Structure formats: structure tokens, C-alpha cells
């Protein structure tokens, strides 16, 4: 009786569900199904891919990318995707490996045309000489926040163009034409951002997390310190005391934070050091006006201009 | 002439050998000799079979518990305890493009055990996996995980009572999943094992349960699980699951008296809801599981007319159904701090009920180590079983630690 019960249960499950599993493994017949890890990447993919792609972002605008929770919809989307666009440099380490392992989609595995890592060819900052947890939650291949470099959009667009062309060679001309169009928008945007940032060289900033290093390098901003004692390690009272002292000694300082890190402690540190706290988007979406990558950079430049008392970029 | 040329060649050869065997570093007073040229690229050829580039990723976990136990009666020792609860060493690596393998060895300082050692083969197509070796069974949300990974100090009472503190088996598991719509995943698994006899059964420590080493296919121990989880709005995930574990043929032994032909089946229905804030920093998790333990659940013991446990003999088992359940709530107000409460109750014997409540605060210093403060109370209808416990748990995880998605 028991054996019969076991066999019935096992047979029922075995017969019914693997058949359904095949549905997820099917290839695309319509537009390329693209899954991007960040809204920024989804935006640029949609701009270049146009009608030949259907894009979905795994994360939302205000999410802390270090602690994204994998959701069923992520798994389903990845299992059906023709192309995966990710930043790389282990930015998505917290959630993507487990999802990819379980999604079992050979089209988006490394080495396949559907695997697009936009950090390829990027010259990363902060590559550690020695990879050790003594330095916190370090990224072994360097700072992954290249989407926050005002020049990052152009690099990302080039990588996505190459990825879409590899996955859909017949769409090459279409993608190239749209990328060229997007490139013109980037030309105009970069010009207005550069104009707005002319007077920023040497301005002092403190960051919560090392997200804005590329932005600082681009405009010659001086990073006085970071509120995290080490990447991913919450500040200790001793570290905060030393930082506040350094900020006071440095003169006018602006604290830059993303939405996820803009807590009460930042306001207290700002008050203690006489510094302004400026919340910047760290990815597209989540902030009014920052729905696209260019819009996000516009918001970043507008808020920085306000904080530094300079002329904001004219959209 | 030829002799002197030969001598020079021999000397040159000896000098070459001496240089090749030069020490890795020199201290004052030692001869300064150049080291051997470093092999590079094509020039080095295939000369070494000891390359480490394909070594697996290693990790270790240290789980330390200090506690104070205030137990009623003399059956359990009172006082302060301090123990290395577990040292876990793990390694994992791809074997080939379709298979990866791992092992987890654990010691508490006295015994060493291979807790898991298995291979995952993913080459059968679809989203299926064939798993073989020794591994934790796929039952509910909590039995798959190691104790140090739980949000509480211990597994819920109902699971401990019906399945054991840990249930790992040597066997095979076949599982797969599919998407339903855009936001729902359904997963199933079936497993066959040599033995799924509970480990660390607190209630009947002297009673030894066992299954035959070799058996008919129908007498293997089985597991099955079906679960679905789905997005609920943009911030929530809801999961429901049904699990089963069967032991069709077992025996029990007590002080030389043995009873065979025993059967045990446990069924579980679990529900979990998780909410995460827009910035992924705050999280609320609610969950619970209802368990039904059926089969030969209650041992009939003849005490021989004495109070001496060594005189107890086993006369049989009563076929009964027992109900147990647990529920929990966990609230993280940022990535560093969480508090939670777990309540569990179970029928543990003939007319005996037990309940346990555990409250905790967890402080995560980083992703890799954490401290937990715990207060728990255990109450039972069994004599002298009630206990109050306060504990501090410190856990550190180093290296490539990870047990995959918790379905």
C-alpha cells in the first residue's frame, strides 16, 4: 500500500511537471527578449534595440544593488531571455549567480551571444592589489559603478550594440542606426554636463559608498573620505569621529549618497561636520526625472550644481 | 683536447644544476646565486601536473554558542554552556559543463562527519537537476538548510520532533521547475534514499531506530516536494509548499528488545510571505508550516516494574497521527539588525504536547559574521522537561560560502 502511494505520487509529479518545464526552454520567435540587471541598462538597450527587443529590468531605481532579493519573476524572465545585459565586475554578485544557475538558460551563459557584460573593455578604478576581506566587501575586479560615470553611457551603449548585433545579426543596420541616433543625444548631454561641471574641479566630497568615484575622477572632485569604514562595512563610531574631523579640516564638503544609504546618520554627520547631504540616484528610475540613463545623469548634475552653487545643466 | 672540452661541459652542467637548485631566498653569508628562470608561456611547455588553477572554491564556517539553561527537574543539566557547535569546511567546483559537486564536512570538536557530499547534474534538459550523494532532504523551507544558516538558534520543535534536528540521506533526488505566467515559479522534487531516520531525537534518545542496509526498491526512504512562489505586487513574494517524507520499513531497538515492520510518514504544508522595501534594506518575513506525523509514532515500553531505564523493553508501537506546527515573524529594519519570534507546538507522545517559543535579536557586522542573542522557553506535558534558555550565538562564514537558492 505504501509502495503504491509512493509510486503514484512520484509518477504523477514526474509526468506532469517536466513537460511543463519545456515551456521555459523555448527559443524566441518575436522580438529579442532582453533581461537587464539595472534600469539604466534596460533603458539603453531599449533605445538601441527599438522594436526588435522587449526589455525587462531585474532591479528597481531605489534598490541597494548589494542586497537585491531574487524573485520568482526574475527566475522566469531569465529562463526565457535571449539576451542578458549585466554590468559585471561583480556588481550583481549578490543575486545574479543563483538566478543564472537555476534559470538554466544556455542562451545567456558566458561565452554565448546572449551574454552581454558591459564592463568588458572598461578601465576600472580601485582594482585591489590584494583581495582580502580585511578591506571589506571588495570587488576583486575593480569598482563596478561605471554606470555613474558621465562617460559610462557611451561605453555601455557600445557594448549593448555589440551584444544585440551578436544575438540578432539581421538587425545590425537597425541597431547601428538607432545607436548613432542615441550617440547624438549623448553628445549633447555630455556637452551640457561638462559645461555645468566646469567649475567643480577640486570641490570636496564625502561618499557613503564608493559609488561616485568615476564621477569624481571625471570632474576632478576630491574625495575626502567615505562614511562606510570599508566597502560594505557600516561606519563605526570611531570612524565617524575621524571622518567628521577630516571634513571640518577640509572646508566645505558635500556628502553624496544614494537613496538606499540616505539614513538618519548621514544627516547627523552632515550636521556635525557642517556639510550638505545630497541624495543622488545610483541607477535609473526611482527618482523623478531619472527614468532614463541620460535623465539620471541630468538629475545628478542638477543636484551637484545646486550643492556646489553653480549653474545647472540646461536640458 | 676532447677530454678538457668534456670536463668543461660537465662543470658547466654542474654549475647549471647548482643554479637550478638555489634556495628560494638568501640570508647574509649565503652564496648569492641566481634562481632558475620562471617558466613562461610556450617556453615552459607541459612540465607540471600540480597546477592549482582548477582547485575548488573553499569555505569554512564557525558557529559558537554560549548559553545558560534553567531546566526543571534533574533530567537535564542546568547552568552555563560554551561550545563550538560546528566547524564546517566546504568545497565546491564545476566538474564539467553540466555538473558541479561539493562537500561539507562538519565537526563539533569531538566527532567529524561528512554532512553533505553530492553532485548536481544538470544535463538532462529543461530546468531539471539530478542530485546524487549525501545531502539534506528537500522538505519545507527549513530542513534544507544547515543549522547555522537558520534565522533562529534551533530548528522549530515540530520539525525536530517529527523529522529530526537534521535529516540528510544518501541517495538520489530529481527536481525541476517551470514558470507559470511571468511571475510564478513552480518547483517539484522527488528523492529516494537509503535511510532518513531522524538524527538527534530528543524525546527517545535511548530508542535506536534503523532501516536495513539493503532493501527492496519499495523499502527505500522517499521524499517529495511541490512548491510555488510568486511575486505579490512589486515588493512581496508569497510561497506555498507541500512536502512529504516516507520511511516504509524500519525497526526499533531498546535494551536488546527489537520491533520491526515500522512505518513512518510525515507531511508538511508551508506558507511564507516576504516583503522587502524599495531600497532592499528593510524586510519582513512571515511564515509557518503545519506538520502531520503518521504511522508507528508511539513506542510502547514496558518498564519492567522498575524506574531503571536499563530495564525498559520495547513491546511495540501504536499507529497514530500527530499534529505539529510552527510560525515565525522576522523583521530586519536595515541590513545590520533583525528581530524575530518563533513559536512551535507539537504532539510528541501518547497524550503529550510540547511547545517552544524563541525570541531573538541578530546583529550582522557584515555579510560574513553575525551575533545573535536568543531567549527560548520549552514547555512539555512530559515530566521535568520544561526549560528556559538564554544564548549568544556567534557565526562567521569565510570564503565561497553558499548553499544556493532556498526553494
Amino acid at each position: 500500500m505504501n509502495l503504491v502511494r509512493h509510486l503514484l505520487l512520484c509518477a504523477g509529479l514526474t509526468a506532469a511537471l517536466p513537460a511543463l518545464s519545456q515551456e521555459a526552454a523555448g527559443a524566441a520567435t518575436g522580438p529579442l527578449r532582453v533581461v537587464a540587471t539595472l534600469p539604466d541598462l534596460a533603458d539603453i538597450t531599449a533605445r538601441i534595440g527599438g522594436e526588435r527587443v522587449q526589455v525587462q529590468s531585474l532591479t528597481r531605481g531605489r534598490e541597494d544593488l548589494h542586497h537585491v532579493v531574487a524573485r520568482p519573476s526574475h527566475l522566469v524572465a531569465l529562463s526565457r531571455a535571449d539576451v542578458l545585459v549585466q554590468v559585471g565586475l561583480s556588481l550583481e554578485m549578490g543575486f545574479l549567480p543563483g538566478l543564472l544557475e537555476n534559470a538554466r538558460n544556455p542562451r545567456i551563459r558566458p561565452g554565448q551571444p546572449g551574454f552581454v557584460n558591459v564592463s568588458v573593455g572598461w578601465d576600472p578604478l580601485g582594482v585591489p592589489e590584494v583581495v582580502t576581506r580585511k578591506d571589506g566587501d571588495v570587488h576583486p575586479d575593480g569598482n563596478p559603478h561605471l554606470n555613474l560615470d558621465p562617460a559610462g553611457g557611451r561605453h555601455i551603449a557600445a557594448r549593448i550594440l555589440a551584444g544585440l548585433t551578436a544575438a540578432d545579426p539581421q538587425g545590425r543596420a537597425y541597431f547601428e542606426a538607432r545607436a548613432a541616433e542615441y550617440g547624438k543625444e549623448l553628445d549633447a548631454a555630455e556637452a551640457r554636463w561638462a559645461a555645468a561641471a566646469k567649475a567643480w574641479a577640486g570641490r570636496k566630497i564625502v561618499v557613503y559608498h564608493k559609488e561616485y568615484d568615476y564621477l569624481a575622477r571625471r570632474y576632478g572632485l576630491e574625495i575626502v573620505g567615505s562614511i562606510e569604514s570599508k566597502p560594505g562595512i557600516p561606519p563605526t563610531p570611531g570612524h565617524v569621529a575621524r571622518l567628521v574631523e577630516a571634513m571640518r579640516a577640509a572646508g566645505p564638503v558635500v556628502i553624496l549618497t544614494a537613496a538606499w544609504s540616505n539614513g538618519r546618520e548621514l544627516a547627523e554627520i552632515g550636521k556635525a561636520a557642517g556639510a550638505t547631504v545630497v541624495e543622488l540616484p545610483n541607477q535609473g528610475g526611482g527618482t523623478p526625472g531619472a527614468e532614463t540613463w541620460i535623465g539620471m545623469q541630468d538629475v545628478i548634475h542638477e543636484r551637484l550644481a545646486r550643492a556646489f552653487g553653480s549653474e545647472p545643466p540646461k536640458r | 683536447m676532447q677530454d678538457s672540452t668534456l670536463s668543461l661541459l660537465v662543470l658547466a652542467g654542474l654549475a647549471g644544476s647548482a643554479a637550478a637548485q638555489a634556495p628560494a631566498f638568501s640570508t647574509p653569508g649565503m652564496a648569492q646565486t641566481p634562481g632558475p628562470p620562471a617558466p613562461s608561456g610556450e617556453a615552459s611547455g607541459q612540465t607540471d601536473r600540480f597546477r592549482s588553477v582548477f582547485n575548488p572554491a573553499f569555505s569554512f564556517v564557525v558557529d559558537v554558542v554560549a548559553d545558560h539553561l534553567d531546566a526543571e527537574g534533574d533530567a537535564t543539566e542546568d547552568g552555563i554552556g560554551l561550545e563550538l557547535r560546528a566547524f564546517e569546511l566546504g568545497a565546491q567546483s564545476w566538474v564539467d559543463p553540466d555538473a558541479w559537486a561539493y562537500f561539507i564536512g562538519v565537526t563539533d570538536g569531538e566527532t567529524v562527519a561528512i554532512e553533505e557530499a553530492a553532485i548536481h547534474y544538470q544535463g538532462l534538459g529543461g530546468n531539471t537537476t539530478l542530485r546524487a550523494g549525501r545531502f539534506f532532504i528537500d522538505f519545507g523551507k527549513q530542513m534544507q538548510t544547515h543549522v547555522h544558516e537558520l534565522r533562529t538558534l534551533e530548528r522549530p520543535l515540530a520539525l525536530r520532533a517529527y523529522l529530526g534536528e537534521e535529516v540528510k540521506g544518501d541517495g538520489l533526488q530529481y527536481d525541476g521547475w517551470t514558470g507559470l505566467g511571468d511571475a510564478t515559479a513552480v518547483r517539484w522534487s522527488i528523492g529516494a534514499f537509503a535511510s532518513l531516520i531522524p538524527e538527534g531525537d530528543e524525546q527517545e534518545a535511548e530508542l535506536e531506530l534503523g532501516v536495513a542496509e539493503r532493501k527492496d526498491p519499495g523499502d527505500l526512504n522517499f521524499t517529495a516536494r511541490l512548491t510555488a512562489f510568486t511575486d505579490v505586487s512589486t515588493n512581496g513574494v508569497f510561497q506555498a509548499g507541500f512536502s512529504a517524507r516516507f520511511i516504509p520499513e524500519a525497526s526499533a531497538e531498546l535494551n536488546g528488545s527489537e520491533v520491526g515492520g515500522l512505518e513512518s510518514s510525515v507531511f508538511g504544508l508551508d506558507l511564507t510571505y516576504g516583503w522587502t522595501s524599495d531600497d532592499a534594506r528593510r524586510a519582513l518575513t512571515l511564515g509557518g508550516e503545519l506538520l502531520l506525523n503518521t504511522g508507528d509514532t508511539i513506542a510502547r515500553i514496558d518498564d519492567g516494574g522498575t524506574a531503571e531505564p536499563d530495564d525498559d523493553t520495547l513491546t511495540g508501537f501504536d499507529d497514530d497521527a500527530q499534529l505539529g506546527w510552527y510560525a515565525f515573524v522576522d523583521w530586519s529594519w536595515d541590513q545590520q539588525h533583525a528581530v524575530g519570534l518563533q513559536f512551535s507546538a507539537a504532539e510528541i507522545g501518547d497524550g503529550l504536547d510540547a511547545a517552544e517559543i524563541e525570541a531573538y535579536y541578530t546583529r550582522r557586522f557584515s555579510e560574513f559574521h553575525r551575533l545573535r542573542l536568543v531567549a527560548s522557553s520549552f514547555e512539555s506535558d512530559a515530566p521535568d522537561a520544561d526549560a528556559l534558555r538564554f544564548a549568544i550565538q556567534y557565526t562567521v562564514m569565510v570564503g565561497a560560502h553558499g548553499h544556493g537558492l532556498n526553494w
Side-chain angles (χ1 to χ4, degrees):
Chain A
M1 185 59 194
N2 282 327
L3 179 59
V4 172
R5 187 173 58 193
H6 302 160
L7 292 176
L8 280 176
L9 179 65
C10 296
L13 288 169
T14 310
L17 290 159
L20 291 171
S21 299
Q22 302 309 314
E23 180 259 345
T29 51
L32 278 181
R33 290 170 295 196
V34 182
V35 173
T37 55
L38 269 60
D40 308 352
L41 306 183
D43 166 57
I44 297 174
T45 304
R47 291 302 308 271
I48 296 172
E51 292 173 353
R52 295 185 76 90
V53 300
Q54 191 180 63
V55 194
Q56 178 179 345
S57 169
L58 295 182
T59 60
R60 302 188 302 270
R62 300 178 73 83
E63 249 173 316
D64 175 1
L65 294 172
H66 308 88
H67 296 103
V68 172
V69 176
R71 300 164 66 82
S73 54
H74 295 167
L75 200 55
V76 174
L78 284 170
S79 74
R80 296 170 180 168
D82 301 304
V83 176
L84 165 68
V85 183
Q86 62 163 302
V87 172
L89 297 175
S90 69
L91 179 66
E92 297 95 342
M93 190 65 190
F95 63 98
L96 197 56
L99 284 168
L100 278 177
E101 182 195 324
N102 285 283
R104 308 287 170 72
N105 183 340
R107 296 186 295 277
I108 58 171
R109 282 190 181 155
Q112 298 303 310
F115 181 84
V116 181
N117 176 0
V118 303
S119 63
V120 169
W122 181 257
D123 183 20
L125 288 172
V127 181
E129 286 181 13
V130 178
V131 179
T132 167
R133 290 289 179 215
K134 190 168 186 288
D135 292 330
D137 195 4
V138 291
H139 294 277
D141 300 316
N143 189 317
H145 302 287
L146 59 108
N147 62 315
L148 295 171
D149 188 329
R154 196 173 291 278
H155 176 86
I156 292 168
R159 295 305 315 159
I160 290 173
L161 171 62
L164 293 181
T165 306
D168 178 11
Q170 290 178 329
R172 173 186 287 272
Y174 177 80
F175 295 141
E176 286 177 347
R178 290 186 65 89
E181 198 65 33
Y182 188 61
K184 286 178 193 165
E185 282 185 46
L186 285 175
D187 290 341
E190 285 174 1
R192 68 174 175 267
W193 299 334
K198 243 181 204 165
W200 295 356
R203 301 301 293 261
K204 295 183 173 69
I205 60 170
V206 160
V207 294
Y208 182 91
H209 179 69
K210 295 171 83 63
E211 284 161 312
Y212 302 104
D213 287 24
Y214 291 111
L215 181 78
R217 179 183 65 171
R218 187 67 50 193
Y219 297 136
L221 306 177
E222 185 186 328
I223 301 175
V224 175
S226 61
I227 291 173
E228 286 181 328
S229 53
K230 297 281 184 182
I233 307 297
T236 60
H239 173 74
V240 169
R242 285 190 294 275
L243 182 65
V244 167
E245 203 171 305
M247 289 165 72
R248 283 182 184 147
V253 174
V254 170
I255 299 173
L256 303 186
T257 175
W260 63 265
S261 53
N262 192 9
R264 199 172 48 209
E265 64 194 343
L266 263 73
E268 288 168 6
I269 292 170
K271 196 175 167 189
T276 314
V277 177
V278 178
E279 181 184 304
L280 301 179
N282 65 332
Q283 54 180 329
T287 305
E291 290 79 13
T292 64
W293 185 82
I294 290 177
M296 175 189 75
Q297 287 289 349
D298 275 321
V299 170
I300 287 173
H301 286 76
E302 285 160 7
R303 292 187 178 181
L304 279 177
R306 264 205 305 275
F308 292 145
S310 63
E311 191 70 25
K314 293 183 177 63
R315 292 206 201 195
Chain B
M1 184 63 188
Q2 281 181 341
D3 286 350
S4 49
T5 306
L6 183 65
S7 302
L8 284 171
L9 285 171
V10 169
L11 285 172
L14 288 172
S17 300
Q21 293 169 31
F25 63 92
S26 298
T27 54
M30 288 178 73
Q32 298 297 308
T33 50
S40 63
E42 294 174 5
S44 65
Q46 183 63 59
T47 59
D48 188 356
R49 62 192 176 93
F50 300 109
R51 298 191 70 190
S52 59
V53 290
F54 291 110
N55 279 358
F58 286 94
S59 67
F60 71 81
V61 175
V62 178
D63 190 26
V64 180
V65 175
D67 67 348
H68 180 271
L69 192 69
D70 182 10
E72 197 175 272
D74 300 327
T76 309
E77 275 188 67
D78 278 335
I80 293 173
L82 181 59
E83 66 164 341
L84 170 68
R85 189 162 70 156
F87 171 78
E88 177 186 300
L89 181 66
Q92 50 191 322
S93 176
W94 284 98
V95 177
D96 70 18
D98 290 320
W100 65 276
Y102 70 104
F103 88 86
I104 295 169
V106 175
T107 177
D108 58 4
E110 293 175 3
T111 56
V112 178
I114 299 298
E115 199 147 65
E116 294 192 77
I119 186 164
H120 287 225
Y121 181 69
Q122 302 172 344
L124 296 176
N127 295 320
T128 60
T129 301
L130 182 64
R131 196 175 185 185
R134 175 179 298 177
F135 48 91
F136 280 24
I137 63 166
D138 188 13
F139 190 105
K141 293 280 285 180
Q142 299 211 27
M143 293 309 290
Q144 310 163 39
T145 56
H146 293 226
V147 176
H148 70 82
E149 289 186 297
L150 296 171
R151 63 170 63 80
T152 50
L153 184 62
E154 306 287 357
R155 247 177 263 282
L157 164 69
L159 289 174
R160 298 202 308 269
Y162 298 160
L163 292 166
E165 287 180 0
E166 286 187 346
V167 187
K168 52 183 179 278
D170 295 356
L172 293 164
Q173 180 181 293
Y174 185 50
D175 65 63
W177 72 272
T178 187
L180 291 180
D182 291 333
T184 302
V186 178
R187 179 181 178 273
W188 55 269
S189 76
I190 51 172
F193 300 87
S195 170
L196 296 177
I197 291 292
E199 292 175 34
D201 187 354
E202 289 173 350
Q203 273 64 51
E204 292 170 320
E206 302 86 8
L207 195 64
E208 278 188 32
L209 298 168
V211 297
E213 278 188 24
R214 296 197 173 274
K215 48 185 87 67
D216 294 334
D219 290 336
L220 289 169
N221 294 189
F222 296 95
T223 62
R225 176 160 169 80
L226 179 65
T227 182
F229 67 141
T230 186
D231 287 24
V232 179
S233 73
T234 54
N235 295 71
V237 174
F238 176 73
Q239 179 172 5
F242 173 76
S243 312
R245 186 229 61 186
F246 307 109
I247 300 176
E249 174 73 36
S251 62
E253 190 266 333
L254 179 68
N255 298 329
S257 56
E258 188 169 340
V259 173
L262 305 175
E263 183 262 345
S264 166
S265 301
V266 180
F267 303 93
L269 177 66
D270 58 280
L271 303 171
T272 310
Y273 173 75
W275 173 89
T276 312
S277 62
D278 284 342
D279 59 8
R281 306 283 287 176
R282 289 169 293 139
L284 173 71
T285 312
L286 304 164
E289 188 167 12
L290 180 66
L291 293 147
L292 176 66
N293 182 27
T294 66
D296 300 301
T297 56
I298 300 172
R300 285 198 308 270
I301 294 171
D302 181 356
D303 62 8
T306 73
E308 190 59 43
D310 289 346
D311 295 335
D312 292 350
T313 53
L314 195 58
T315 59
F317 272 77
D318 289 335
D319 193 335
D320 196 14
Q322 300 173 329
L323 267 181
W325 61 279
Y326 67 87
F328 66 87
V329 56
D330 180 276
W331 168 242
S332 295
W333 62 90
D334 60 25
Q335 290 299 324
Q336 285 79 49
H337 307 273
V339 290
L341 195 64
Q342 180 168 276
F343 181 81
S344 183
E347 294 176 79
I348 56 169
D350 193 7
L352 297 178
D353 292 327
E356 186 176 70
I357 188 164
E358 179 175 335
Y360 61 87
Y361 160 72
T362 303
R363 172 77 166 94
R364 299 183 201 96
F365 302 107
S366 72
E367 286 182 58
F368 312 104
H369 64 143
R370 61 159 190 257
L371 187 75
R372 179 172 290 145
L373 306 177
V374 181
S376 66
S377 169
F378 177 83
E379 290 184 8
S380 168
D381 295 338
D384 297 338
D386 294 1
L388 188 62
R389 185 184 187 195
F390 298 96
I392 300 173
Q393 178 192 20
Y394 178 71
T395 309
V396 61
M397 289 155 276
V398 178
H401 184 74
H403 299 289
L405 276 187
N406 180 7
W407 297 85

